[in-house]
Amino acid sequence: MPLVDGLNQPVKAGPKEFEGLHLVPVPDEEKPAEALKWLDYYRKERRSLVMAMESCVKCGLCAEHCHTYLGTKDPNNIPAGRADLMRKVYKRYFTVQGKLFGKLVGAEEISMRTLEEWFSYYYQCTECRRCGHVCPFGIDTCEVTMIGRQILYNIGMIPKLHAATDVAILRTGNHMALTPSGIVDTLDFLSDEIEEERGFRIEFPVDKPNSDILYVPSSADFFLNPDTLKGAAEFFEYIGANWTISTRITEAGNFGYLSDQTRVQRELVNRVWEEVARLGVKKVVWGECGHGWRAAKMYIPTMSDYPTRMRVPITHILDEVAAYIKAGKLKLNPKNNFRAQGLPVTLHDPCNYARACGLVENLRVDLYASVTEVREMNPNREKTFCCGGGSGVLFDDPEMYQLRIKFSQKKADMIRATGAKVLCAPCSICKAQFHAMIPEHKLDVKLYGLIDLVGAALDFKGHRQV
Amino acid sequence: MPYIEVLGQKIEVDEDGFIQDPSIWTPELAKELAKMEEVPEMTEDHWKVVNYIRDYYLKHGIAPMIRKLCKDTGFSLKQIYELFPTGPAKGACKIAGLPKPTGCV
Ligand code: SF4
Ligand code: SF4
Ligand code: SF4
């Protein structure tokens, strides 16, 4: 879209998406009052919000740590500035000084303009938590963004991309509205590819009852990332796992987490437990997706209202691989890695793994064992910069797309500086963003996930098939 | 809801120009959609890709995996981008009358 009142905004959801979400949007004239009610609700519900609202001293430290500010120089993209868009309203209605002195203390009445600003800037934050990592007060602007987005969702201001994806979640249990027949056909095609590459076939079991492991891949892998699916199959085959993919929860991500952390997010959470019960699963293994792993790890065990006693463990495939490597149970041959092909590889630490899930060292255990040369980015690990597409800001309307290029400038510079020829990005949104941004920044790299590179290094000699 | 005019008919599209009802697709409509996607003329190669996507969608209800699309049509990804400058997902699939892809793409 369009500039709305001079603000960059993604296209908003319309009647078709509202129908799919069974939502009746609040009429514009009532939106400010309704939003205020929700803000009041969330300040009582989430004390981290009150902390963020009350304690910022405007020290400015967060500014240069946010890739969206670095790329745009827009003061509203300084994390403290982004939070101020909500803080000024909070002050006006929920603090004594604000009520008495208004504008003098930076307090402001809520209006439609305020909400349009929220819509613009809460969908320019990629929820990467880099600000939270550096703020001396521990203010996590990501939390403010999440609450801002939730309030906007509640009153019916949702980006079309997020709303349409949410509709797909409710309808199909995945972001891309994959169908069972499409899933099976795609996996069959990948089995053919494996057979061509390796001389033997690896099947992808689908909806197989009595499976020990339920593997939850990202739906985007079925369109964009064939090697991520193949890498996972190669690993499961290698360890002789009794595994399956489910057509009812073919989604490692959770756009609900990025737009509606209530009903939509819970839909995918419940589907996991339903499928655990239906397929008799003993362990759920999660595929490559940054925000999705954060949502899975932190919410699935506690958020579900699905009455089941089968609360089985949920692990990440890259942690699984690391455990096998550490136990000496995987024979990996970096020299034969037919995907990395001996080229230098650099690792993009997905923010959500690094700053919200503690998945940092195991990525390295997996990667260093699988390829011949790794060139670390600077900064990396918990100091990683976002790819610029985080939290699903994968908008393609021209203004927002230009912003994505700016948001990823910092990362592009870091990748280029390594001189690597392979970019390993073990997150689905990162992959989607890089697929588009590699050409935009004229980077000379091939893109893979991490399980892709592990799978390609697995030495199957002596294996039951070879 | 926006409309486009094709052969004197009003066709409902979304803000990005994707047709709202995939079942109303016709080759004539595809030619009009192509013009919006920087494809001034639909050549035999264009039709090969568009018909493949269309058939796949009618059979499986989804867009084909890009790697599969390339393999089955015999075009490299680079060639697909040459044919459809706005890309396989948002260009070719749109001309084939598919809904706009959602999720991490
Ligand atoms: S670093 Fe923390 S205290 Fe300093 S301006 Fe940013 S949010 Fe405020
Ligand atoms: S979470 Fe990331 S994108 Fe959002 S304000 Fe903080 S640093 Fe910027
Ligand atoms: S998309 Fe990837 S890099 Fe960006 S916030 Fe998510 S995990 Fe981080």
Side-chain angles (χ1 to χ4, degrees), chain A residues 47 53 59-60 63 116 121 130 140 160 174-175 182 220 227 243 257 260 262 291 296 384 405-406 435 439:
Chain A
R47 302 297 158 162
M53 293 293 105
C59 70
E116 296 290 4
Y121 290 102
R130 203 165 195 276
D140 185 355
K160 186 167 176 247
N174 68 76
H175 291 170
D227 297 298
W243 68 295
Y257 185 61
D260 171 34
T262 59
H291 82 272
T384 181
I405 299 176
K406 291 180 180 169
H435 278 302

Side-chain angles (χ1 to χ4, degrees), chain A residues 316-338:
Chain A
H316 195 284
I317 191 162
L318 298 171
D319 283 329
E320 290 287 316
V321 169
Y324 273 86
I325 292 176
K326 286 175 190 166
K329 287 195 205 152
L330 287 190
K331 219 163 93 201
L332 290 157
N333 188 344
K335 287 209 186 74
N336 287 353
N337 192 315
F338 60 89

Side-chain angles (χ1 to χ4, degrees), chain A residues 160 175 179 181 185 227, chain B residues 14 56 60 67 90 100 102:
Chain A
K160 186 167 176 247
H175 291 170
T179 58
S181 106
D185 184 74
D227 297 298
Chain B
D14 70 4
Y56 194 90
H60 295 295
R67 169 100 38 105
K90 283 153 193 171
K100 186 167 185 184
T102 47

Side-chain angles (χ1 to χ4, degrees), chain B residues 1-103:
Chain B
M1 198 57 74
Y3 289 90
I4 52 168
E5 286 253 352
V6 182
L7 310 168
Q9 260 193 320
K10 269 190 160 185
I11 307 275
E12 206 184 328
V13 295
D14 70 4
E15 294 80 355
D16 304 296
F18 283 75
I19 60 171
Q20 290 303 85
D21 177 4
S23 68
I24 60 160
W25 186 90
T26 59
E28 287 67 39
L29 177 54
K31 283 187 207 160
E32 293 305 309
L33 293 168
K35 286 181 198 152
M36 295 158 56
E37 293 307 302
E38 303 167 34
V39 180
E41 208 202 314
M42 289 286 289
T43 65
E44 203 178 308
D45 286 352
H46 289 101
W47 281 118
K48 193 170 170 192
V49 174
V50 166
N51 286 334
Y52 178 82
I53 294 174
R54 180 85 200 153
D55 291 346
Y56 194 90
Y57 178 73
L58 290 178
K59 196 157 166 212
H60 295 295
I62 64 169
M65 177 181 255
I66 291 182
R67 169 100 38 105
K68 187 171 162 69
L69 167 72
C70 291
K71 257 201 173 152
D72 289 356
T73 58
F75 293 118
S76 68
L77 189 56
K78 198 167 155 262
Q79 287 170 314
I80 301 253
Y81 269 95
E82 280 160 13
L83 289 169
F84 302 95
T86 53
K90 283 153 193 171
C93 286
K94 180 179 182 177
I95 298 169
L98 272 59
K100 186 167 185 184
T102 47

